Amino acid sequence: MLMKKNTRNPAGESQKQPLGLSFDGSLRLEFHGSKITSDAGLLAYRELDEALGLSVMADDLLTDWRTGANTRHTLEGLIRQSVYSRLAGYEDTNDADRLSVDPAMRHVVGGRASEHSAASTSQMGRFETEVLTQGHNLSKLAMLPGMWIDRLRPHRAMKELVLDMDSSVSETHGQQEGSAYNGHFNCTCYHPLFCFNQFGDVEGALLREGNVHSAKDWGQLIEPVVARYRDMDVPFYFRADAAFARPEIYEYLEAKGFEYAIRLPGNDILMVEIAHLLARPVGRPGNAPHVRYADFEYQAKSWNRARRVVAKVEWHRGELFPRIGFIVTNLERPAKKVVRFYNQRGTAEQWIKEGKNAVRWTRLSCHDFVDNEVRLHLFVLAYNLGNFLRQAVLPPAVRHWTLTTLREKLIKIGAKVVRHARKVVFQMAEVAVPRELFRDMLRAIERLRVARAASG
């Protein structure tokens, strides 16, 4: 009886025997790591990758100095493994040993991995901290997000370019190189800078030390982006918060033909200009705020000329003083529309939150600063691939899904893998994403493939 009881108890099982459950003796748990995957939805992203020719760029851009047995996996395959593992929520190379035998990961990596295994933890570690950290490779890696966007650009209706620039915080722990205390965020951190377009793609990212000003190195980030779009005959727009209210930024944007709306810190001179708006509204306040607008010409001492400033004054019920905001702009729209345009930059903050929550790009846990630079760029590639699928592939009914929702519902599809003589079949679980939805996604990807082939 004791022996029989132990066969149901997980503690009494051998390594290869099924595990038993006490609440129902008829149940058995078997583990088949190389035959079952929990990330079958990655196959849809791999299909999009192939249709646009994204990961293949790595072999043309990156320099491979590896020799001998170290070259069993191509740079293209290693980039895929780095990006897809982060997209699936595995933010550390520590997971690579288990993922190397996962059938979904093996097939999305392709090449040798399809028949054998993907790269191990040690191989991925060497790739990310030795190969990609080389000066040439690091600069090319930083270019990849924009190059990927350029592959999708012909397949989007793009009537304008809107760039949003914002900084963020990535908390650090221990003695990480470049980490520093930031009084604004009240923590020890890195202070990365991001530039998004209106579709939510990251046009570029820059890792910086934790105690730098929010606008530091803004030109280094935006200049390659502007250069990529210089031949497009569409209006260019730029938005940013008050940290970017600097005369050199205004002058640069004006020289490049950008219209901009940048929040401006208040001062006594600006307050004098709106003194006529500061009288409390007459009568009992309603539930909706009472809003007033004004615009005027203003020139700070550091500016080379006067510029238009738009002011917004909001009186809220139950508040003694109004909420006041200023925006410096060269837009010719009415003041109210300028404020509305500026407020849309809040979407950039949402995209930063998605990057933190969905692909966990704040996981910059290496000691060396350059290693963490590589990690940030790889996280950005994972984020962009996820956003590409949402923007260009998802049917309208589910296009509102966040990247976190996509990871939980699409990427995390379970599947059993069955091998035949010439075919490998993924028997997909049909729960959150039914066959019809997956079919529609593959059809959308095929249209992208055909359009790209037709355009040469």
Side-chain angles (χ1 to χ4, degrees):
M1 291 298 294
L2 289 176
M3 291 295 293
K4 184 176 182 180
K5 183 177 181 179
N6 281 342
T7 60
R8 296 182 187 173
N9 190 327
E13 298 284 0
S14 70
Q15 186 173 355
K16 295 183 179 181
Q17 288 179 319
L19 301 182
L21 296 170
S22 298
F23 79 92
D24 188 339
S26 65
L27 297 181
R28 291 290 183 270
L29 307 181
E30 296 184 356
F31 293 81
H32 302 277
S34 61
K35 298 179 181 178
I36 296 176
T37 179
S38 60
D39 299 314
L42 287 175
L43 297 169
Y45 293 87
R46 177 65 175 82
E47 186 76 353
L48 177 61
D49 181 352
E50 185 74 13
L52 296 176
L54 302 179
S55 296
V56 70
M57 295 181 188
D59 272 340
D60 296 328
L61 287 177
L62 303 179
T63 301
D64 190 358
W65 49 264
R66 300 171 302 154
T67 59
N70 291 327
T71 61
R72 279 179 287 181
H73 300 284
T74 65
L75 294 182
E76 177 185 344
L78 291 170
I79 279 286
R80 283 204 186 102
Q81 188 167 342
S82 290
V83 170
Y84 285 99
S85 60
R86 286 170 168 83
L87 191 59
Y90 308 105
E91 66 270 17
D92 281 322
T93 56
N94 297 336
D95 300 302
D97 279 340
R98 188 183 67 80
L99 290 175
S100 67
V101 297
D102 180 271
M105 183 59 66
R106 287 166 46 213
H107 283 279
V108 298
V109 169
R112 179 185 184 279
S114 297
E115 296 299 325
H116 298 88
S117 65
S120 65
T121 294
S122 60
Q123 290 169 328
M124 292 303 300
R126 285 194 297 271
F127 172 65
E128 294 188 8
T129 63
E130 297 179 14
V131 177
L132 294 182
T133 54
Q134 300 299 309
H136 170 80
N137 286 340
L138 182 58
S139 63
K140 296 299 183 182
L141 183 64
M143 294 169 55
L144 270 180
M147 296 177 67
W148 281 20
I149 292 170
D150 290 343
R151 284 291 174 89
L152 186 58
R153 192 199 306 175
H155 310 291
R156 284 172 164 167
M158 194 168 180
K159 298 180 180 179
E160 61 184 12
L161 171 67
V162 183
L163 299 180
D164 289 295
M165 186 171 286
D166 205 353
S167 64
S168 183
V169 57
S170 293
E171 290 193 40
T172 55
H173 307 278
Q175 301 299 316
Q176 291 178 253
E177 186 180 21
S179 66
Y181 181 79
N182 188 301
H184 177 75
F185 298 114
N186 195 29
C187 66
T188 301
C189 62
Y190 290 126
H191 194 183
L193 184 63
F194 297 92
C195 183
F196 295 87
N197 61 28
Q198 68 265 36
F199 303 106
D201 308 322
V202 178
E203 292 279 355
L206 187 64
L207 188 64
R208 304 174 302 173
E209 296 179 349
N211 57 356
V212 302
H213 187 273
S214 293
K216 186 180 187 296
D217 296 327
W218 64 271
Q220 180 181 338
L221 181 59
I222 197 174
E223 286 177 357
V225 179
V226 173
R228 289 184 19 249
Y229 287 97
R230 62 176 175 264
D231 296 329
M232 287 195 67
D233 186 21
V234 296
F236 294 164
Y237 300 99
F238 179 87
R239 296 182 295 226
D241 64 19
F244 298 86
R246 304 173 66 159
E248 60 268 29
I249 296 181
Y250 311 150
E251 294 167 15
Y252 174 84
L253 294 170
E254 290 160 359
K256 296 298 182 180
F258 273 77
E259 296 182 83
Y260 58 84
I262 301 174
R263 192 170 184 87
L264 186 66
N267 58 44
D268 291 342
I269 298 175
L270 295 175
M271 294 300 291
V272 169
E273 293 284 352
I274 63 167
H276 61 290
L277 302 180
L278 300 181
R280 181 177 290 277
V282 177
R284 179 174 296 181
N287 292 327
H290 184 83
V291 184
R292 298 168 177 169
Y293 300 92
D295 66 321
F296 50 88
E297 292 292 308
Y298 168 75
Q299 182 174 359
K301 290 182 179 180
S302 60
W303 297 6
N304 62 353
R305 65 177 182 83
R307 292 181 171 86
R308 184 188 183 200
V309 172
V310 170
K312 178 184 179 183
V313 178
E314 293 181 90
W315 289 91
H316 287 257
R317 184 176 183 177
E319 296 183 6
L320 184 60
F321 300 103
R323 303 179 188 179
I324 302 171
F326 299 99
I327 298 170
V328 59
T329 183
N330 60 350
L331 291 166
E332 297 181 355
R333 307 175 187 183
K336 184 176 181 178
K337 291 188 176 180
V338 171
V339 173
R340 184 180 302 167
F341 172 75
Y342 172 79
N343 287 342
Q344 290 171 356
R345 69 165 294 278
T347 55
E349 297 176 0
Q350 296 301 316
W351 294 325
I352 287 177
K353 289 180 180 178
E354 281 202 309
K356 290 180 176 180
N357 297 329
V359 298
R360 301 171 185 172
W361 64 27
T362 56
R363 184 76 177 207
L364 305 176
S365 54
C366 295
H367 174 270
D368 292 352
F369 186 83
V370 67
D371 293 347
N372 287 317
E373 284 187 279
V374 167
R375 289 176 66 86
L376 179 61
H377 292 311
L378 292 171
F379 280 121
V380 166
L381 289 173
Y383 169 92
N384 275 359
L385 182 58
N387 196 53
F388 289 175
L389 186 130
R390 173 171 58 181
Q391 293 286 335
V393 174
L394 285 188
V398 293
R399 198 165 292 163
H400 65 280
W401 281 4
T402 66
L403 297 187
T404 301
T405 301
L406 281 170
R407 187 187 70 219
E408 294 173 351
K409 291 188 175 183
L410 174 60
I411 294 178
K412 295 301 179 181
I413 294 177
K416 180 181 179 181
V417 182
V418 179
R419 287 184 171 273
H420 299 292
R422 298 184 179 180
K423 299 289 184 181
V424 178
V425 179
F426 278 73
Q427 298 178 344
M428 316 275 279
E430 193 172 11
V431 184
V433 177
R435 179 184 184 278
E436 291 74 18
L437 176 56
F438 210 99
R439 177 202 60 199
D440 292 345
M441 292 165 55
L442 294 181
R443 287 177 175 175
I445 294 171
E446 182 60 25
R447 289 192 292 269
L448 290 174
R449 188 196 312 275
V450 171
R452 179 168 174 254
S455 63

